[in-house]
Amino acid sequence: MIISRTRKELEIALNKLSEIPGKLALVPTMGNLHQGHLSLLKIAKKKASKTISTIFVNPLQFAPDEDFETYPREENCDILKLVEEGVDLLFAPNVNEMYRQNSKTTINVGGLTDCLCALSRPGFFDGVATVVTKLLLQALPDIAIFGEKDYQQLLVIKRFTTDLDIPVEIIGAPTIREKDGLALSSRNIYLDPKSRSIAPSMFSILSQHASNISNGSDIKKSLKLARQNMHDLGFDKIDYLDLRNSQTLETCSDLKRPSRLFAAAWLGSTRLIDNLTVT
Ligand code: AMP
């Protein structure tokens, strides 16, 4: 696997890869790789003959009170995992390489970013959209793969690549979970044993209420009850628990398919998110 640290090195490596025929797939990450990330790489390997992954902890998507400094960085382990998955190229720039000192441009996506995570994390989606735009323009992949775990992020990325005519196919990949249902996340290591034992109930409560709504339960009552269940089981603060249209993220007062249930809630100082489709 080639490792590029600078845009120049990336350009040289991409030139080399261009000699191999077939599609190029991109899988952007912030590192500390787990089976969720690796599942995206496996999809990339199936869909393309060349795979590039990136590891970049993007300061633009962290608020000042968030964990940018302490975000888990495990590059040596990550490199071994990427090699094992057969990734051809890793782009792992530092912050100064990614953002020029006098950089003044950010990407803002309207509509999809006035709800859910955007309300509790102002600026987050601008940060994501800006770095993903840069990575797509730097690597010019044919396809790029993102997890449904971050479903709103996936929609935002699909929106701006379409709006900005970036010639790439964005592919969503299913959420990979622990055996007990907890969605894998690099931040799960922050959970202490008590919080870790409560965390999977976010998925079980969402699953239960998704099934109830699907079977005709009143949506407002179900959402209220789901919130109550989460509080009772020990979640500290619920940022949102909503049923929304899967494409527009508009709230649904009746069950218009396709819809998804979305939740974000805190266990101590750790914020968990999850979502699932209501069939
Ligand atoms: P991150 O390193 O958290 O920025 O995530 C990088 C990519 O991995 C994003 O596209 C995420 O949506 C995806 N991802 C994170 N966790 C999971 C998971 N449990 N299952 C599938 N994809 C995931």
Side-chain angles (χ1 to χ4, degrees):
M1 183 175 75
I2 308 169
I3 300 178
S4 305
R5 302 276 174 195
T6 65
R7 277 174 275 124
K8 189 72 207 162
E9 285 174 10
L10 176 67
E11 194 187 316
I12 295 166
L14 286 168
N15 266 334
K16 212 168 157 201
L17 276 188
S18 70
E19 289 163 13
I20 305 169
K23 287 188 179 176
L24 176 66
L26 173 72
V27 177
T29 81
M30 296 208 298
N32 193 24
L33 302 178
H34 51 62
Q35 288 300 326
H37 298 114
L38 303 188
S39 74
L40 309 187
L41 292 167
K42 288 183 170 67
I43 294 173
K45 293 284 293 178
K46 270 199 198 131
K47 295 201 172 268
S49 58
K50 299 166 280 188
T51 306
I52 161 168
S53 186
T54 64
I55 296 179
F56 180 63
V57 183
N58 175 31
L60 236 59
Q61 69 191 69
F62 288 76
D65 61 342
E66 289 184 344
D67 55 346
F68 174 69
E69 296 298 338
T70 53
Y71 192 85
R73 290 160 170 89
E74 295 289 349
E75 199 189 81
N76 290 340
C77 290
D78 290 345
I79 288 173
L80 292 178
K81 291 175 188 169
L82 293 173
V83 170
E84 216 165 280
E85 292 300 328
V87 169
D88 299 289
L89 170 56
L90 165 65
F91 182 42
N94 65 25
V95 173
N96 293 334
E97 184 64 24
M98 183 58 85
Y99 295 112
R100 291 170 184 82
Q101 236 178 358
N102 58 353
S103 173
K104 294 278 184 280
T105 308
T106 53
I107 304 292
N108 174 264
V109 179
L112 294 168
T113 59
D114 57 10
C115 61
L116 302 177
C117 281
L119 301 183
S120 9
R121 304 187 72 188
F124 171 74
F125 287 112
D126 287 10
V128 169
T130 303
V131 79
V132 174
T133 301
K134 286 171 72 78
L135 291 170
L136 290 171
L137 295 177
Q138 287 158 352
L140 293 175
D142 300 287
I143 61 176
I145 299 144
F146 297 87
E148 288 182 350
K149 155 88 174 20
D150 303 285
Y151 192 85
Q152 187 176 15
Q153 168 176 291
L154 172 64
L155 288 187
V156 165
I157 292 166
K158 282 187 173 168
R159 184 74 260 156
F160 77 72
T161 50
T162 302
D163 291 351
L164 299 178
D165 304 317
I166 300 177
V168 64
E169 184 191 353
I170 303 297
I171 294 172
T175 301
I176 303 299
R177 300 177 180 281
E178 302 281 4
K179 280 200 181 78
D180 59 14
L182 176 64
L184 297 188
S185 162
S186 302
R187 288 189 170 102
N188 288 351
I189 55 160
Y190 296 154
L191 295 167
D192 63 27
K194 182 162 180 255
S195 298
R196 177 62 188 81
S197 69
I198 299 169
S201 54
M202 176 182 267
F203 176 64
S204 53
I205 290 169
L206 286 183
S207 305
Q208 179 63 58
H209 288 277
S211 148
N212 292 351
I213 291 170
S214 193
N215 291 327
S217 292
D218 181 84
I219 292 172
K220 229 172 147 186
K221 277 188 195 151
S222 288
L223 296 179
K224 198 171 161 205
L225 191 58
R227 271 177 180 268
Q228 191 56 53
N229 292 159
M230 284 184 66
H231 273 306
D232 293 348
L233 281 165
F235 281 90
D236 296 305
K237 181 177 166 246
I238 298 170
D239 283 346
Y240 56 77
L241 200 162
D242 266 347
L243 181 71
R244 292 193 173 247
N245 179 289
S246 308
Q247 253 89 63
T248 63
L249 296 186
E250 284 158 347
T251 46
C252 308
S253 47
D254 50 22
L255 184 55
K256 288 195 193 77
R257 294 179 173 93
S259 323
R260 283 185 101 87
L261 259 185
F262 292 88
W266 294 81
L267 280 169
S269 55
T270 306
R271 184 174 179 272
L272 301 179
I273 60 170
D274 207 343
N275 69 87
L276 46 96
T277 190
V278 179
T279 50

